Amino acid sequence: LLDECMKTLERFVTDYAKSVQQCRDLYVGPTPSERPELLVEYMMTCGNNTIQIREYFIPQLREKVDELQPAELVHYRMLERPCARAARVLSDIASACNDVVVDIFMSDVQKHCDALLTAKWLRSKIAVKTIVATLTDYVTDFKDHLQRSLLSPLLHMCWVRLLLEYVKGFIAKRFALKNKEDREEYVERLKTEVDELYELIMEDLESDERSLRLQSAIHSIVHITLSKPSMLLPEWKSLRSNFPDATIHHFEAILLVREDMGAKEVGGACLRGAGCLVCATAATRPLCVHMHAVVVDVAVVSLVLWR
């Protein structure tokens, strides 16, 4: 009976994992099909179910094994490895369900994320208000229906994805700054909105170190963008002390947003920064911003994912 239970469990978790991946490919892939009305609810239920199986069914199965007579126990110890493997797969399925939910949320707000840090965004709060309203609805559903062990990582993923949208808009220079006043209003608005989104997402949850570091990364970007030219080097030193993996290319990407610095001034500041602090990882990181063409790649993403 235990052998049959284990075979059934292994078939179940394998098929479950395939079904979740097929669902993701079908509804949130590059060419998504029209989504079923309750897809988010289905994904949350799937995630909850996998956690229930991992935390209740598998431990009960192990207890049954431990109840066997010593002569039989040696034979059935072989079930420990499949149980552990099934538990790992179930955790992966729960994470995949979370990924689908976050992808759905981001697809619902992507149009408004594309409007962030543009001239229209600076004049109007429609984009961020729509994002906040949509996020509030989602967060309410998450807190009402999702198990606690899934809630925190899901909200953290939402936070990271939204933060990356701000960073991408910032680096892409969607709005050409004309003067210092523009720059001050621009980056202060950026900082304020990021902080507000953080409070909304992380409300009632304990702030982990990674979330706080992501928020701190935005604050560092703001400081460099607003600093006087004479203070850029100290700000760069401060950023590097907090984020040792930051490279001179990150520094360059931030400086290129400033309206008061041309390519020559940015190059000079980067040379001074490189001369002051040698970044051990600089030689291995791709250049994320060319002087005349912005390339949003892995290095740009790492702006807010410094470890």
Side-chain angles (χ1 to χ4, degrees):
L1 178 60
L2 286 173
D3 284 339
E4 190 58 36
C5 284
M6 184 51 59
K7 291 176 183 177
T8 301
L9 177 62
E10 289 187 309
R11 287 196 301 269
F12 172 77
V13 297
T14 300
D15 292 343
Y16 212 140
K18 289 179 180 178
S19 297
V20 171
Q21 185 58 50
Q22 289 171 356
C23 181
R24 187 175 190 180
D25 294 340
L26 183 61
Y27 297 118
V28 293
T31 55
S33 303
E34 184 177 355
R35 296 199 308 258
E37 184 179 355
L38 299 177
L39 182 59
V40 172
E41 286 76 8
Y42 289 145
M43 286 297 102
M44 287 194 291
T45 301
C46 287
N48 287 338
N49 287 344
T50 58
I51 297 300
Q52 292 276 4
I53 296 169
R54 188 192 70 190
E55 294 183 353
Y56 296 103
F57 175 74
I58 291 181
Q60 288 180 16
L61 190 60
R62 283 174 168 157
E63 286 178 11
K64 293 298 181 184
V65 171
D66 290 340
E67 290 173 3
L68 294 171
Q69 296 298 323
E72 299 170 297
L73 187 58
V74 174
H75 172 67
Y76 281 102
R77 277 301 179 191
M78 70 177 71
L79 294 178
E80 281 297 316
R81 197 169 291 175
C83 278
R85 184 168 58 249
R88 287 194 300 271
V89 174
L90 288 166
S91 296
D92 291 342
I93 294 172
S95 296
C97 291
N98 267 3
D99 290 341
V100 174
V101 173
V102 174
D103 285 343
I104 293 172
F105 162 68
M106 290 305 301
S107 69
D108 285 348
V109 299
Q110 191 59 55
K111 179 177 70 174
H112 303 288
C113 288
D114 292 340
L116 294 173
L117 284 83
T118 61
K120 184 177 180 180
W121 164 82
L122 200 58
R123 295 192 303 268
S124 168
K125 292 189 176 182
I126 292 177
V128 71
K129 283 183 177 179
T130 305
I131 292 172
V132 167
T134 307
L135 179 61
T136 301
D137 290 341
Y138 271 91
V139 169
T140 300
D141 286 343
F142 296 159
K143 290 182 177 180
D144 286 345
H145 304 297
L146 206 58
Q147 290 211 26
R148 189 77 178 183
S149 60
L150 293 177
L151 177 62
S152 183
L154 185 144
L155 292 178
H156 181 78
M157 282 193 289
C158 288
W159 161 243
V160 171
R161 292 283 293 274
L162 286 173
L163 199 58
L164 288 176
E165 292 296 328
Y166 275 92
V167 173
K168 286 194 293 185
F170 182 85
I171 298 301
K173 298 174 68 174
R174 292 174 180 169
F175 175 61
L177 303 175
K178 297 181 177 61
N179 50 50
K180 181 182 177 182
E181 287 72 25
D182 268 359
R183 180 160 33 102
E184 289 176 347
E185 182 180 4
Y186 190 72
V187 295
E188 287 296 340
R189 174 83 171 271
L190 164 64
K191 178 179 178 295
T192 298
E193 289 187 7
V194 165
D195 289 348
E196 288 176 352
L197 286 171
Y198 178 83
E199 293 298 328
L200 173 60
I201 293 174
M202 304 306 289
E203 184 183 14
D204 300 329
L205 294 177
E206 291 185 7
S207 297
D208 58 21
E209 182 181 354
R210 188 162 177 253
S211 297
L212 292 172
R213 282 177 62 78
L214 294 176
Q215 193 175 22
S216 178
I218 289 292
H219 293 175
S220 295
I221 291 173
V222 168
H223 290 156
I224 291 177
T225 309
L226 289 178
S227 293
K228 296 178 181 178
S230 61
M231 293 300 295
L232 288 175
L233 198 55
E235 288 291 351
W236 166 236
K237 290 180 182 179
S238 174
L239 184 148
R240 275 282 285 136
S241 67
N242 292 323
F243 303 97
D245 285 349
T247 73
I248 204 66
H249 303 311
H250 294 131
F251 188 41
E252 177 191 38
I254 300 170
L255 293 181
L256 284 170
V257 175
R258 296 176 61 121
E259 87 295 337
D260 61 339
M261 298 182 71
K264 184 177 179 180
E265 289 82 3
V266 170
C270 289
L271 285 174
R272 290 190 295 275
C276 177
L277 290 172
V278 177
C279 299
T281 58
T284 62
R285 293 292 183 93
L287 180 64
C288 65
V289 178
H290 297 298
M291 287 299 179
H292 301 294
V294 176
V295 180
V296 179
D297 61 5
V298 175
V300 172
V301 172
S302 71
L303 271 170
V304 293
L305 295 180
W306 289 315
R307 286 172 171 78

